[in-house]
Amino acid sequence: MGALILLALTSQYAGFAAAATGQQLTVWEDIKKSAGIKQAIGDFEKQYNVKINLQEMPYAQQIEKLRLDGPAGIGPDVLVIPNDQLGAAVVQGLLTPLKVDQAKVEAFTKPAIAAFTMDNTLYGLPKAVETLVLIYNKDLLPQPLATLDDYHDFSKRQRAANQYGLLAKFDQMYYSWGVMAAMGGYIFGHSQNGSVNPLDIGLNAPGSIAAVNTLKKFYADGLFPTGIIGDSGLNAIDSLFTERKAAAVINGPWAFQPYADAGINYGVAPLPKLANGKPMNAFLGVKGYVISTWSKDRALAQKFIEFINQPEYVKTRYQATKEIPPLVAMIDDPLIKNDERASAVAIQASEATAMPGVPEMQEVWGPANAALELSMTGKQPPEAALNDAVKQIKMQIEAMQASNQ
């Protein structure tokens, strides 16, 4: 009996020793998305003789959890974050900079890489992108129209028949940005070294003002219902589209399934062009793989995220998760090219603008949205509303920077 116990203890100790000497990485993946990387993990474990501990948790909460788990020694080596959390995470010293070969960087779309670059330093490899697209009811509008002016004219005809043409939340910057950027507006300028200058704010630049005046026509001409102004506006738009009272909407991939469930025969296209010939831009939302500052093997962690982002594994991930990968090669892959919805998102994402990742961006949303709402409802001229917004944003940013010193 004693010999058996000794044998068991010896065997258990040997297991602990093997675990201690073997390489291990802890990876946090997004909820219900780990199936997309399981094959890549299996191949990586074999090739590098490493054990991957895979855990799922909502990607938007991972940085918050890292703040506690990292210093405690129980955090991940690799995690997934949205690009709009990058700035704060870098400033707080939570993430490790990456040094990736230029050829591997160029395999991704430029906007997606820009989303995980801060002060000319790369902090993550992009995993998936989402951006606004045009969604249209094929029974009411057989083909998407070419320009925003075309949609304005179409909407006039639809209103004459007590229907709506195009609906969008142009009273919020997330939805109006596509026109502002394409007409020369900008959020933050850049310093000579290429880094973001958060005190150079271009929301009241001539192009921004011209864009808001263009968008205001949809409201002034009665082409939008009054109910789509404000926080509940998107619900109103969804209701009108699913009730077949609106022919087209500007929305994101998150709307695909609800519209399908409502039985709408819908198509998806990139956003329309403007009168100046430029396509509507859009904000790019990017999820990316990043490496914790507390990782005990940062080199291996980087090898891992480079490995799982090889085209063959990205293709497998897309098939399992349906999240659009920002890999240049995948845009022309038949899997995406022949899927109207995925192709529209991929094309639009390649022309989109990564949301500024600096912490100061959080001070922009409130004043910008308030200015747009005042402009669209005619309560204040666009130039005055945008000038006031820029003053307020600057004050808030200066106060924020002073409190961080």
Side-chain angles (χ1 to χ4, degrees), residues 166-224:
L166 172 69
L167 296 180
K169 284 285 290 166
F170 290 144
D171 63 314
Q172 291 187 341
M173 193 175 70
Y174 184 77
Y175 294 87
S176 61
W177 177 247
V179 178
M180 294 170 80
M183 291 181 72
Y186 62 96
I187 298 176
F188 298 129
H190 289 81
S191 303
Q192 285 187 335
N193 65 1
S195 62
V196 170
N197 177 5
L199 292 177
D200 175 10
I201 300 165
L203 291 176
N204 61 344
S208 296
I209 295 165
V212 176
N213 279 311
T214 295
L215 296 173
K216 187 181 173 182
K217 288 188 214 164
F218 282 88
Y219 298 82
D221 293 347
L223 307 183
F224 285 0

Side-chain angles (χ1 to χ4, degrees), residues 1-74:
M1 187 71 175
L4 284 173
I5 292 172
L6 183 61
L7 184 64
L9 287 171
T10 305
S11 172
Q12 188 179 23
Y13 174 77
F16 285 143
T21 55
Q23 292 174 299
Q24 293 192 51
L25 289 177
T26 296
V27 175
W28 286 355
E29 180 54 284
D30 193 11
I31 288 288
K32 297 183 180 176
K33 299 292 188 290
S34 60
I37 60 171
K38 277 189 176 165
Q39 182 190 332
I41 282 175
D43 291 350
F44 185 82
E45 286 179 326
K46 284 176 196 166
Q47 189 165 327
Y48 291 96
N49 189 28
V50 58
K51 169 67 181 163
I52 303 293
N53 301 312
L54 182 63
Q55 300 169 23
E56 283 193 352
M57 69 181 65
Y59 76 99
Q61 296 169 20
Q62 292 189 20
I63 275 289
E64 189 181 333
K65 191 163 168 52
L66 176 67
R67 286 190 185 100
L68 299 172
D69 290 2
I74 54 171

